[in-house]
Amino acid sequence: MLNLVSVEKRFGELHALSEITISFGPNETVGLIGPNGSGKSTLVNVVTATYGPDAGQILFRGTDITSHEAHRISRLGIARTFQNLRLFQRMTVIGNVEAAQYGMPGNVFFRFRPDDRRNARNFRQKAEWALEQVGLQDVRNRLASSLPLPQLRRLEIARILARDPELVFLDEPAGGMTPTESEDMARLIADCVAPNRTCIVIEHKMDLIAHVCARVCVLNAGQLIADGDPEEVFVLPTVIEAYLGRAAAHA
Ligand code: ADP
Ligand code: MG
């Protein structure tokens, strides 16, 4: 349902993505892993049109979306969370989930349409439902800025659920969490996010990846170096080398 064909992204001399060819099928839950700076977030940014690729093609359900703008991609049913969280800090928790449904990619701009206004009540109901799913119904009227990080990450998940996208990218959903909080997040992803949609999970926490993903893709220095079953991929010498090489470089 999502196909990247020879996708390239450069930042000056840096090849953030080199000739990435990869496909994700309907209802698959796939882990996207790799050392810091390997291009994981860039891949999400290129698919969701934060910026366009320098070369290659991106197809969603057979439609070429390579040069689509972000709001069009969002309306097609592709959504994401952000590694560094993008929420309206001075809006209530439920307000954040309602706002997510107004077809806004990230929080860059608001795009009211007449039918959106008419649907305001539906948005409210869906927001209530989504907050229940992630366990935030009791704090729904608090300001987002008052929540601790694990709850903010759950709020990002609620924003996704309320939109019910066909394809979702979760960019380090357990970033900054304790092992227990990560386990809760893994369960939430497996139970509420993954069913009935394609879900691509970027994470450094391999426990979480192993828990929710039946397939893992590994990036290193902008290249796809492995793609397959987690148990097989985790023990590949090239994959271990990619992680150890980096650890050694930083030692
Ligand atoms: P990851 O998410 O795997 O940690 P990124 O995709 O964020 O890695 O980054 C890949 C490489 O591209 C890194 O070297 C990073 O510094 C660089 N990079 C990412 N975004 C930009 C940007 N907007 N401008 C310049 N360089 C960038
Ligand atoms: Mg990243």
Side-chain angles (χ1 to χ4, degrees):
M1 66 130 45
L2 181 73
N3 304 289
L4 280 72
V5 186
S6 299
V7 167
E8 300 254 356
K9 182 66 195 175
R10 289 182 292 275
F11 296 111
E13 294 293 295
L14 179 82
H15 288 249
L17 295 175
S18 305
E19 292 262 331
I20 299 291
T21 296
I22 192 168
S23 294
F24 302 107
N27 300 332
E28 251 194 320
T29 304
V30 184
L32 182 59
I33 69 170
N36 279 327
S38 55
K40 305 181 298 293
S41 293
T42 301
L43 189 148
V44 181
N45 287 335
V46 161
V47 173
T48 56
T50 300
Y51 27 69
D54 294 309
Q57 243 192 338
I58 303 168
L59 306 171
F60 179 61
R61 286 200 255 103
T63 304
D64 189 334
I65 60 164
T66 315
S67 52
H68 275 27
E69 287 172 32
H71 65 89
R72 267 182 88 190
I73 286 174
S74 164
R75 285 198 178 271
L76 282 176
I78 301 179
R80 68 172 299 180
T81 65
F82 288 88
Q83 189 173 349
N84 303 317
L85 296 168
R86 293 216 192 153
L87 295 160
F88 296 105
Q89 294 289 340
R90 300 204 290 179
M91 207 183 254
T92 59
V93 167
I94 193 160
N96 269 278
V97 186
E98 289 173 299
Q101 298 171 72
Y102 284 91
M104 33 186 309
N107 58 7
V108 181
F109 62 97
F110 228 62
R111 212 159 169 273
F112 278 108
R113 303 192 326 176
D115 58 325
D116 283 344
R117 275 177 216 249
R118 244 180 285 128
N119 283 332
R121 200 186 304 148
N122 288 345
F123 287 177
R124 181 91 190 174
Q125 280 171 359
K126 224 181 218 166
E128 299 268 6
W129 169 83
L131 287 172
E132 229 169 84
Q133 300 290 300
V134 305
L136 291 181
Q137 66 275 36
D138 291 345
V139 295
R140 65 183 176 282
N141 293 318
R142 280 173 50 183
L143 289 183
S145 59
S146 72
L147 300 189
L149 179 71
Q151 292 198 336
L152 290 174
R153 294 222 182 267
R154 286 178 165 263
L155 176 53
E156 282 227 313
I157 301 285
R159 285 163 56 88
I160 295 282
L161 294 176
R163 290 167 69 145
D164 195 18
E166 260 187 81
L167 169 66
V168 63
F169 292 95
L170 305 180
D171 199 348
E172 302 200 18
M177 289 190 177
T178 65
T180 312
E181 289 159 356
S182 298
E183 268 174 46
D184 289 345
M185 178 53 74
R187 218 170 297 125
L188 178 64
I189 294 170
D191 294 348
C192 298
V193 186
N196 302 314
R197 62 170 61 86
T198 302
C199 187
I200 297 156
V201 186
I202 297 177
E203 246 311 326
H204 290 296
K205 298 190 163 97
M206 295 307 147
D207 290 356
L208 184 143
I209 294 288
H211 182 134
V212 302
C213 303
R215 174 183 167 202
V216 178
C217 301
V218 188
L219 287 178
N220 187 40
Q223 294 185 320
L224 183 66
I225 60 165
D227 182 350
D229 286 346
E231 309 85 61
E232 289 168 21
V233 165
F234 288 161
V235 298
L236 285 174
T238 46
V239 172
I240 293 169
E241 167 104 8
Y243 278 93
L244 291 184
R246 188 178 172 282
H250 283 242

